[in-house]
Amino acid sequence: MTSTEQASKSGAQAAHPDHLGHVIFIAAAAAMGGFLFGYDSSVINGAVEAIRGRYDIGSAALAQVIAIALIGCAIGAATAGRIADRIGRIRCMQISAVLFTISAVGSALPFALYDLAFWRIVGGFAIGMASVIGPAYIAEVAPPAYRGRLGSFQQAAIVIGIAISQLVNWGLLNAAGGDQRGKLMGLEAWQVMLGVMVVPAVLYGLLSFAIPESPRFLISVGKHERAREILEEVEGDRIDLDARVAEIENAMKSEHKSTFKDLLGGSFFFKPIVWVGIGLSVFQQFVGINVAFYYSSTLWQSVGVDPTDSFFYSFTTSIINIVGTVIAMIFVDRVGRRPLALIGSVGMVIGLALEAWAFSFDLVDGKLPAAQGWTALIAAHIFVLFFALSWGVVVWVFLGEMFPNRIRAAALGVAASAQWIANWAITASFPSLADWNLSATYVIYTVFAALSIPFVLKYVKETKGKKLEEMG
């Protein structure tokens, strides 16, 4: 049998690891970075109006404080690939956990508005790192046949983080008598909401000590024996470990450490595959999904829902988010990534268009008319459901899989950085846009959801079932 045939055989047998439960634990631990992302994205929802009141700022300034963490995210995402290639994936996770812990404490105890903004940037940098390392690490340790489902753990962790933060916020708000600035433990309620983020940050750090380094990184630094041990852990002892190591090593010999320069080429600065990754990231954010998690309580209050109910509706939306993510995890390896993306785009267009219609009506006594109010609420849940069962999961899976080995780390960093910048653009612009015309704002999001359909059809290739070494 030739080395090529051995490698092919090793890859096929790797589809049935002996210790799948252990592999699931490894992927779940790595995805805790996604949990931090989700928790941080949504926990600020409970503090928006309190920050506005405490520091007496308008919508534009408020949006910058809320969105400034995303600048840190973009920087963290852009640099994480290089850092991971130098010191390893696990060390990156540990650095991220430490920075996020420090950020949570600082955010809960700010001296002034600029102080709060600084700590949010620090936390954003940590989340940006984790957003890159999580999908890349999972893709590198997961057996090919399970990689889509395990890769979707990143988004599952994000939506669970969102739901938990909404539930905690709702509980703390009730404990403070429905007042975001009510006193709890000697602090205002919103400060406690931000301080609770210490718990998942510390847990992330502890879990990083319980999982192995990526076999591909170990091989890249000459630790072949340790790489063999980990491959046996995650792919089983029935595979030809020598052939599997040789397969990875041969793929890596033809490449070098990925750098930004490696991404350049083609007619428009970057290589075409890099633009596809950037496009996926941008469309994922430009449909306005994070408006539902950063500003949902403020949004519902603006159309007449009382604060406690607005927090409850934010929580129900996050539960729908989890349901959609579970659906995606079930089908991502069965029907493929592209079909899910297309189904989701169609559903998002419908949900967003209905929201735009409902918000076009004038308020009566400070509230939307009953029919339009219920339409807006149901449509918001439809939008989140279709996002979760599609773009929420498949974009992270695509970004972990679609790039050739020689540029994967750097390309994933650029694509993730673009995602954070797009997230910042939507987050920073929403309060001012909503003040201008809430309905027109949702029309804009609807247009981007519609444009995502031809983008997927023309530019995005299916990665279902392929080994990372086959990407080109």
Side-chain angles (χ1 to χ4, degrees), residues 178-196:
D179 183 2
Q180 292 180 21
R181 300 192 61 189
K183 292 296 182 179
L184 283 176
M185 296 181 284
L187 301 172
E188 293 185 3
W190 69 272
Q191 293 176 272
V192 179
M193 292 176 188
L194 299 183
V196 169

Side-chain angles (χ1 to χ4, degrees), residues 4-163:
T4 300
E5 291 171 332
Q6 285 178 319
S8 178
K9 180 181 178 183
S10 74
Q13 290 176 320
H16 304 285
D18 296 328
H19 308 292
L20 183 58
H22 181 58
V23 177
I24 290 173
F25 169 77
I26 290 171
M32 269 299 295
F35 183 93
L36 292 180
F37 168 27
Y39 200 100
D40 182 71
S41 296
S42 190
V43 73
I44 197 67
N45 191 13
V48 172
E49 293 306 310
I51 293 171
R52 186 200 299 270
R54 175 162 175 169
Y55 298 106
D56 191 25
I57 54 177
S59 294
L62 176 68
Q64 294 307 318
V65 174
I66 303 305
I68 199 167
L70 301 171
I71 300 300
C73 289
I75 298 170
T79 57
R82 293 296 303 279
I83 296 172
D85 282 344
R86 288 180 179 273
I87 66 175
R89 282 58 167 151
I90 300 300
R91 285 285 178 265
C92 264
M93 294 180 192
Q94 291 163 355
I95 291 171
S96 175
V98 170
L99 290 176
F100 197 85
T101 301
I102 294 171
S103 167
V105 174
S107 296
L109 303 170
F111 298 107
L113 189 62
Y114 70 85
D115 181 40
L116 174 61
F118 172 76
W119 292 119
R120 284 189 54 73
I121 293 175
V122 173
F125 183 86
I127 295 173
M129 288 180 64
S131 74
V132 170
I133 298 307
Y137 173 85
I138 293 171
E140 290 178 349
V141 300
Y146 293 91
R147 198 173 58 238
R149 278 164 284 184
L150 294 175
S152 65
F153 277 27
Q154 174 79 1
Q155 181 64 17
I158 291 173
V159 299
I160 291 172
I162 290 170

